[in-house]
Amino acid sequence: MSTAIALLSGGLDSATAAALALEDGQRVIGLSFDYGQRHRRELDAAARIADQLGLAEHHTISVNLAAWGGSALTDSSIAVPRDGVQADVIPSTYVPGRNTVFIAIGLSLAEARGAERLVLGVNAVDYSGYPDCRPDYLEAFQRLADLASKAGREGHGSRLWAPLVEWSKTRIVQEALRLGVPIADTWSCYSGGDQPCGVCDSCRIRDAALIEAGRPDLASPAAQR
């Protein structure tokens, strides 16, 4: 059985990508990051998902990106957008260098464990326009990964696998339902409250997809009113 490392944020997308890797017959190791995020409930969600999906291992690594802020997700002085985002403007919820740091660490674990894949839940369709969630970014990082590792230079480096990158959020929800992903236990809200706010960009995209997929019961309380 081949091994895959799945970056597990605690959200719907990364959980679905991990479940797809399991369905593909891979032994999946989960990797999560405590990066100083305001919405720390996602770390608890990641642990629950790893357990419920039956991942072989689950690791949480501390990388304090909040030390220098620069994002609404790591700096409480920056407001989380609640009125939508402009089509061509990268919003304040973008965390500088986040996926670059996460993927680099994931590739380190993948090479150490001889993993064939690094599973990513990134999505370039129903998302907030982040530069590190786009196909051209992933293609460039793959080239770097092949040059930067012993395994890559020897021709058997890990492949970045982002099965959801061009899927709509509704399709992701449908696949999550088919795969038995515990959607109710995932956490995607950018706010740090006790329940999803229902108004941040992440909540609104997720709620709309759940409603379209026929599962409004799994949407945020605000969307169910």
Side-chain angles (χ1 to χ4, degrees):
M1 181 181 292
S2 60
T3 297
I5 307 300
L7 300 193
L8 201 64
S9 71
L12 172 63
D13 294 356
S14 66
T16 303
L20 285 168
L22 289 168
E23 183 182 53
D24 206 31
Q26 300 225 292
R27 173 179 178 271
V28 178
I29 297 172
L31 178 60
S32 303
F33 295 93
D34 179 350
Y35 62 94
Q37 60 267 55
R38 293 167 60 179
H39 51 310
R40 297 182 62 82
R41 284 193 57 171
E42 68 175 13
L43 293 173
D44 296 330
R48 288 195 302 271
I49 292 163
D51 181 63
Q52 292 187 49
L53 292 181
L55 301 193
E57 302 172 32
H58 180 229
H59 302 273
T60 299
I61 303 296
S62 294
V63 183
N64 189 17
L65 301 182
W68 43 81
S71 168
L73 299 191
T74 59
D75 186 342
S76 60
S77 69
I78 303 174
V80 172
R82 291 175 172 265
D83 299 316
V85 296
Q86 299 178 36
D88 297 321
V89 177
I90 296 172
S92 63
T93 50
Y94 163 69
V95 181
R98 179 176 60 178
N99 280 352
T100 300
V101 172
F102 291 178
I103 292 173
I105 296 174
L107 286 168
S108 174
L109 176 57
E111 185 171 22
R113 295 298 178 85
E116 294 183 357
R117 288 179 181 171
L118 180 63
V119 182
L120 310 172
V122 298
N123 178 262
V125 180
D126 288 330
Y127 78 128
S128 297
Y130 301 148
D132 53 2
C133 290
R134 307 184 192 192
D136 57 353
Y137 166 82
L138 297 174
E139 292 165 7
F141 210 122
Q142 184 67 69
R143 292 194 297 272
L144 173 63
D146 291 339
L147 295 173
S149 64
K150 177 178 181 290
R153 292 286 187 172
E154 293 175 347
H156 54 85
S158 299
R159 315 313 296 170
L160 303 186
W161 192 61
L164 319 180
V165 69
E166 295 183 347
W167 289 12
S168 70
K169 185 66 77 173
T170 300
R171 182 179 175 188
I172 293 171
V173 168
Q174 291 168 339
E175 280 295 282
L177 292 167
R178 181 185 69 80
L179 293 162
V181 172
I183 295 176
D185 287 323
T186 63
W187 183 268
S188 300
C189 180
Y190 290 149
S191 301
D194 293 330
Q195 61 184 21
C197 70
V199 294
C200 71
D201 203 33
S202 182
C203 277
R204 288 185 291 101
I205 293 172
R206 174 186 168 115
D207 285 346
L210 287 166
I211 292 169
E212 186 174 351
R215 292 303 305 270
D217 56 303
L218 295 173
S220 69
Q224 296 181 39
R225 295 188 188 116

